[in-house]
Amino acid sequence: ALPGGASRLLLGRHVVITAGPTHEAIDPVRYIANRSSGKQGFAIAEAAARMGAQVTLIAGPVQLPTPPGVTRVNVESARQMADAVQSALPADVAVMVAAVADWRVADAATQKLKKDGTGQIPPLYLVENPDILAGLCADPRRPRLVVGFAAETQDVIPHAQSKLIRKGADWIIANDVSGAPGNSVMGGDRNAVHIVSASGVESLPDAPKPAIASAIVERIARALV
Ligand code: CTP
Ligand code: CA
């Protein structure tokens, strides 16, 4: 047997993972973003590859190194991320960890916005981005197991339960992202999550993101048996 062969439970499975923030252009030099670091999603990609999966990691703009054995597709915007997910199908599992920007500027400027000298401030008209997770759940090529994440600052489990139903995912993994910038799950190295599914809630206590990733990927492998 190969070393580690006993734990290669995802051999032959294709796992698509989104990670990181998206950037939504305001003009050629400015964008709307969020504090997602991509660390949790990259750690899940690494853990899945270690368990033998073929992994497609669709990464928003982050500087993290590509985990060994992972196929990485870099994107900037939510709409590019949605297209990349479609191009990655078919898949056995999708894990949508990305903190997708909910809104983009309706009509991004093609030239840099300039102060006009009168103190007039340019308005930014926002429109909603496509919901990549909900779209995938409704897709005829829906992977067998679709896992979403939920970033919440209050009422974490109830909000995750309503997202589970609204989006049609199999699991929603909720994390509490309250806490001051610099002292938060978003951008930090540790996480505590609640795995919410139709059969209940399993809570994984605070641990380094790679340990949370391994625990999640083990549960994914078990769910496919
Ligand atoms: N998601 C997505 N596409 C979007 C917004 C979110 O695929 N346009 C996915 C995220 O990757 C995550 C899940 O949906 O897996 C939940 O994201 P979250 O931001 O918590 O939920 P929203 O539905 O955007 O609700 P809100 O931000 O208002 O809480
Ligand atoms: Ca959101």
Side-chain angles (χ1 to χ4, degrees):
L2 293 166
S7 61
R8 291 176 72 80
L9 292 169
L10 288 175
L11 206 63
R13 308 288 195 182
H14 181 208
V15 180
V16 174
I17 297 166
T18 67
T22 64
H23 286 180
E24 309 298 328
I26 296 170
D27 70 15
V29 298
R30 303 182 178 99
Y31 55 82
I32 297 174
N34 60 65
R35 295 187 186 279
S36 170
S37 64
K39 286 175 194 167
Q40 187 66 81
F42 274 59
I44 290 170
E46 179 158 8
R50 224 189 300 118
M51 289 186 71
Q54 178 203 336
V55 178
T56 304
L57 173 61
I58 300 164
V62 294
Q63 297 307 315
L64 298 174
T66 306
V70 166
T71 301
R72 177 177 184 167
V73 179
N74 288 323
V75 299
E76 287 264 331
S77 69
R79 286 183 296 173
Q80 289 168 357
M81 188 173 275
D83 289 346
V85 168
Q86 279 297 320
S87 299
L89 297 178
D92 301 289
V93 181
V95 191
M96 313 301 264
V97 197
V100 182
D102 290 322
W103 304 285
R104 68 177 182 273
V105 175
D107 220 339
T110 55
Q111 302 295 328
K112 185 188 163 192
L113 298 176
K114 301 288 288 177
K115 288 173 288 185
D116 71 358
T118 71
Q120 283 259 27
I121 295 166
L124 292 182
Y125 293 102
L126 303 182
V127 293
E128 198 167 316
N129 271 326
D131 190 315
I132 302 167
L133 173 60
L136 184 64
C137 289
D139 195 286
R141 293 194 293 165
R142 183 196 197 280
R144 180 167 147 207
L145 183 69
V146 179
V147 180
F149 267 66
E152 307 291 353
T153 58
Q154 57 181 348
D155 300 328
V156 174
I157 290 170
H159 278 140
Q161 282 165 332
S162 57
K163 280 175 189 169
L164 182 78
I165 291 162
R166 190 168 73 238
K167 296 179 187 245
D170 297 298
W171 307 346
I172 292 284
I173 301 181
N175 43 193
D176 186 337
V177 295
S178 60
N183 185 30
S184 163
V185 163
M186 265 197 159
D189 290 319
R190 301 180 68 86
N191 201 359
V193 302
H194 309 279
I195 304 176
V196 177
S197 71
S199 53
V201 180
E202 185 189 5
S203 298
L204 305 179
D206 177 75
K209 285 181 176 177
I212 296 287
S214 297
I216 289 169
V217 171
E218 272 169 34
R219 282 159 182 76
I220 288 171
R222 252 192 266 140
L224 294 178
V225 169

